[in-house]
Amino acid sequence: MKILLVGAGGVGDAFAKIIARRSFYEGVVVSDYDLARAERTIASIEARHGAETAARFTPAQIDASDPDVVARVAREHGATHVMNAVEPKFVQSIFAGALAAGADYLDMAMSLSEPHPTDPHTETGIKLGDDQFDQAADWETNGRLALVGMGVEPGLSDVFARYASDHLFSEIDELGTRDGANLVVRDEAGTEIFAPSFSIWTTIEECLNPPVIYEKDRGWFTTPPFSEPEVFDFPEGIGPVECVNVEHEEVLLMPRWLDAKRVTFKYGLGEEFIGVLKTLHLLGLDSVVPVKVRTADGPAMVAPRDLVAASLPDPATIGPRMTGKTCAGVWVTGTGTDGAPREVYLYHVSDNEWTMTEYDAQCVVWQTALNPAIALELLATGVWAGTGVLGPEAFDAQPYLDLMSAPEPAGYGQPWGLQERTPASDTPAV
């Protein structure tokens, strides 16, 4: 397996550092529009693991917006798999480039939705991932696999949902992805600052679009942004966090393979973050349509959202100033295999202090990058296999969770939790 990694930002950098410890691949091309970023990632691997390990990594410059360039770079390096680790606005070009190069493809966020109405009784238009699933026949015909939504959310959350469907429930009422954290970022003086732990470009996209909900007797429909707030009690010391509906891929992926009466995604954003997002929208700063601005070198066309992203701290750099944990998981309700009502929360917690010490990567980007690494190892060893456009739910979850939780060096040493939430027992079990 030869991997072309597209993007050496926060998630791409963490992905490279994670698989530097693994041996299932022949080599990795770390590519980025900014070649220096790719070179920094490889230099970091060499500093931590030595020149022999770093020799498996090659830097390259790439324009992710041009499918012909993606295909050319993939062919030049003999890539068998293209790993997309950039913002979702580049999904379609990288997706097309991988297929043209005859390579398999993975991403952690699917093709974007088109603006759709907030009236829940109207059609949702082009949904997340529609453009990719519309091309499934092309991938099948070419005998290639596109594994989409293989990050943490979507990704690990979908693996958890498949595991719950196969092993824990005879009937599922709701698959509810719930994401929360107690992360805090401070400046050099120790004052708490506003610094999103993930790409603000992506966060604006998913949080300001109308969220999608799935109900079996109704199909997919939308609600207003930040709707249906609820307080969810997250494990391992994070505690109660208010979560709201957000547009996310799980809701579009899970119903394609799993039988559930309802599928939702709720994110613990916090009052301050929601206020910032609403203000950005009010001012038009969430727009991706370029506007003319004055600069020292004359007029330039700049998308307001890109300006916001450039003005905030790079998520890849805030790890040393961040404290706390982040939790990703799926809350499943329904009927257990014994016929009794059951509620469980399957989850994974990432501690920033640990990820910074072990990988020099902040916990949110690290947790996202962990999952495509595991998936690629399963594909490399033939445990997972398929053609077409598939989500994580299309594969057996058990070997994934076994590899994830097994101690290093055989596995990844990342235990996951299963917390019973039925009235009969509120004691967490792993």
Side-chain angles (χ1 to χ4, degrees), residues 4 29 31 60-63 68-79 101:
L4 170 60
V29 178
S31 68
Q61 198 277 336
I62 199 167
D63 181 355
D68 293 334
V69 172
V70 174
R72 174 178 57 77
V73 175
R75 291 192 194 101
E76 285 177 355
H77 293 275

Short mmCIF file of all heavy atoms in Angstrom, two decimals, residues 4 29 31 60-63 68-79 101:
data_model
loop_
_atom_site.label_atom_id
_atom_site.label_comp_id
_atom_site.label_asym_id
_atom_site.label_seq_id
_atom_site.Cartn_x
_atom_site.Cartn_y
_atom_site.Cartn_z
N LEU A 4 -1.13 8.40 -0.75
CA LEU A 4 -0.98 9.83 -1.02
C LEU A 4 -1.85 10.58 -0.02
O LEU A 4 -3.08 10.51 -0.09
CB LEU A 4 -1.40 10.18 -2.45
CG LEU A 4 -1.51 11.68 -2.77
CD1 LEU A 4 -0.18 12.39 -2.56
CD2 LEU A 4 -2.03 11.91 -4.19
N VAL A 29 3.22 9.62 0.75
CA VAL A 29 3.55 10.91 0.17
C VAL A 29 2.75 11.96 0.93
O VAL A 29 1.51 11.95 0.89
CB VAL A 29 3.22 10.97 -1.33
CG1 VAL A 29 3.54 12.36 -1.89
CG2 VAL A 29 3.99 9.90 -2.09
N SER A 31 1.53 15.46 1.03
CA SER A 31 1.42 16.56 0.07
C SER A 31 0.58 17.70 0.63
O SER A 31 -0.32 17.49 1.45
CB SER A 31 0.81 16.07 -1.25
OG SER A 31 -0.55 15.71 -1.09
N ALA A 60 5.56 16.44 -1.06
CA ALA A 60 5.18 16.82 -2.42
C ALA A 60 4.27 18.03 -2.36
O ALA A 60 3.52 18.23 -1.39
CB ALA A 60 4.48 15.67 -3.14
N GLN A 61 4.33 18.84 -3.41
CA GLN A 61 3.42 19.98 -3.54
C GLN A 61 2.22 19.53 -4.36
O GLN A 61 2.36 18.76 -5.32
CB GLN A 61 4.14 21.14 -4.23
CG GLN A 61 3.48 22.50 -4.04
CD GLN A 61 2.34 22.76 -5.02
OE1 GLN A 61 2.28 22.17 -6.10
NE2 GLN A 61 1.42 23.64 -4.66
N ILE A 62 1.03 20.00 -3.99
CA ILE A 62 -0.19 19.60 -4.70
C ILE A 62 -1.21 20.72 -4.66
O ILE A 62 -1.26 21.50 -3.71
CB ILE A 62 -0.78 18.32 -4.07
CG1 ILE A 62 -1.75 17.61 -5.03
CG2 ILE A 62 -1.46 18.61 -2.74
CD1 ILE A 62 -2.11 16.21 -4.60
N ASP A 63 -2.01 20.81 -5.71
CA ASP A 63 -3.17 21.71 -5.75
C ASP A 63 -4.41 20.84 -5.65
O ASP A 63 -4.83 20.22 -6.62
CB ASP A 63 -3.17 22.53 -7.04
CG ASP A 63 -4.34 23.50 -7.11
OD1 ASP A 63 -5.20 23.48 -6.21
OD2 ASP A 63 -4.40 24.27 -8.09
N ASP A 68 -6.90 16.97 -12.04
CA ASP A 68 -5.80 16.51 -12.90
C ASP A 68 -4.48 16.50 -12.15
O ASP A 68 -3.65 15.61 -12.34
CB ASP A 68 -5.70 17.40 -14.14
CG ASP A 68 -6.90 17.25 -15.07
OD1 ASP A 68 -7.55 16.17 -15.03
OD2 ASP A 68 -7.21 18.20 -15.81
N VAL A 69 -4.27 17.51 -11.30
CA VAL A 69 -3.04 17.57 -10.51
C VAL A 69 -3.03 16.44 -9.49
O VAL A 69 -2.01 15.76 -9.29
CB VAL A 69 -2.90 18.93 -9.82
CG1 VAL A 69 -1.74 18.92 -8.83
CG2 VAL A 69 -2.73 20.04 -10.84
N VAL A 70 -4.17 16.21 -8.83
CA VAL A 70 -4.26 15.11 -7.86
C VAL A 70 -3.93 13.78 -8.54
O VAL A 70 -3.15 12.97 -8.02
CB VAL A 70 -5.65 15.07 -7.21
CG1 VAL A 70 -5.78 13.83 -6.31
CG2 VAL A 70 -5.91 16.34 -6.41
N ALA A 71 -4.52 13.56 -9.72
CA ALA A 71 -4.26 12.32 -10.45
C ALA A 71 -2.80 12.19 -10.84
O ALA A 71 -2.19 11.11 -10.73
CB ALA A 71 -5.16 12.25 -11.68
N ARG A 72 -2.21 13.30 -11.29
CA ARG A 72 -0.81 13.27 -11.71
C ARG A 72 0.12 12.94 -10.55
O ARG A 72 1.01 12.08 -10.68
CB ARG A 72 -0.41 14.62 -12.32
CG ARG A 72 1.08 14.72 -12.66
CD ARG A 72 1.44 16.04 -13.29
NE ARG A 72 1.07 17.19 -12.47
CZ ARG A 72 1.76 17.59 -11.41
NH1 ARG A 72 2.84 16.93 -11.01
NH2 ARG A 72 1.37 18.66 -10.73
N VAL A 73 -0.09 13.58 -9.42
CA VAL A 73 0.77 13.32 -8.26
C VAL A 73 0.60 11.88 -7.79
O VAL A 73 1.57 11.20 -7.44
CB VAL A 73 0.47 14.32 -7.12
CG1 VAL A 73 1.28 13.97 -5.87
CG2 VAL A 73 0.76 15.75 -7.57
N ALA A 74 -0.64 11.38 -7.80
CA ALA A 74 -0.89 10.00 -7.39
C ALA A 74 -0.17 9.02 -8.32
O ALA A 74 0.46 8.05 -7.86
CB ALA A 74 -2.39 9.72 -7.38
N ARG A 75 -0.24 9.28 -9.62
CA ARG A 75 0.43 8.39 -10.58
C ARG A 75 1.95 8.45 -10.43
O ARG A 75 2.63 7.43 -10.47
CB ARG A 75 0.03 8.76 -12.01
CG ARG A 75 -1.41 8.46 -12.37
CD ARG A 75 -1.61 8.59 -13.87
NE ARG A 75 -3.01 8.62 -14.24
CZ ARG A 75 -3.68 9.73 -14.56
NH1 ARG A 75 -3.05 10.91 -14.52
NH2 ARG A 75 -4.95 9.69 -14.88
N GLU A 76 2.48 9.66 -10.30
CA GLU A 76 3.93 9.83 -10.20
C GLU A 76 4.52 9.03 -9.05
O GLU A 76 5.64 8.52 -9.13
CB GLU A 76 4.28 11.31 -10.03
CG GLU A 76 4.14 12.14 -11.30
CD GLU A 76 4.44 13.61 -11.05
OE1 GLU A 76 4.64 13.98 -9.86
OE2 GLU A 76 4.45 14.38 -12.02
N HIS A 77 3.77 8.92 -7.97
CA HIS A 77 4.28 8.24 -6.78
C HIS A 77 3.72 6.83 -6.62
O HIS A 77 4.00 6.16 -5.61
CB HIS A 77 3.97 9.07 -5.54
CG HIS A 77 4.71 10.38 -5.49
ND1 HIS A 77 5.98 10.49 -5.00
CD2 HIS A 77 4.35 11.63 -5.90
CE1 HIS A 77 6.39 11.75 -5.09
NE2 HIS A 77 5.41 12.46 -5.63
N GLY A 78 2.95 6.36 -7.60
CA GLY A 78 2.41 5.01 -7.54
C GLY A 78 1.46 4.79 -6.39
O GLY A 78 1.40 3.68 -5.81
N ALA A 79 0.68 5.80 -6.05
CA ALA A 79 -0.23 5.70 -4.90
C ALA A 79 -1.34 4.69 -5.17
O ALA A 79 -1.99 4.72 -6.22
CB ALA A 79 -0.84 7.07 -4.58
N ALA A 101 -6.71 8.26 -11.30
CA ALA A 101 -5.40 7.66 -11.10
C ALA A 101 -5.48 6.16 -10.84
O ALA A 101 -4.45 5.50 -10.72
CB ALA A 101 -4.69 8.34 -9.94
#
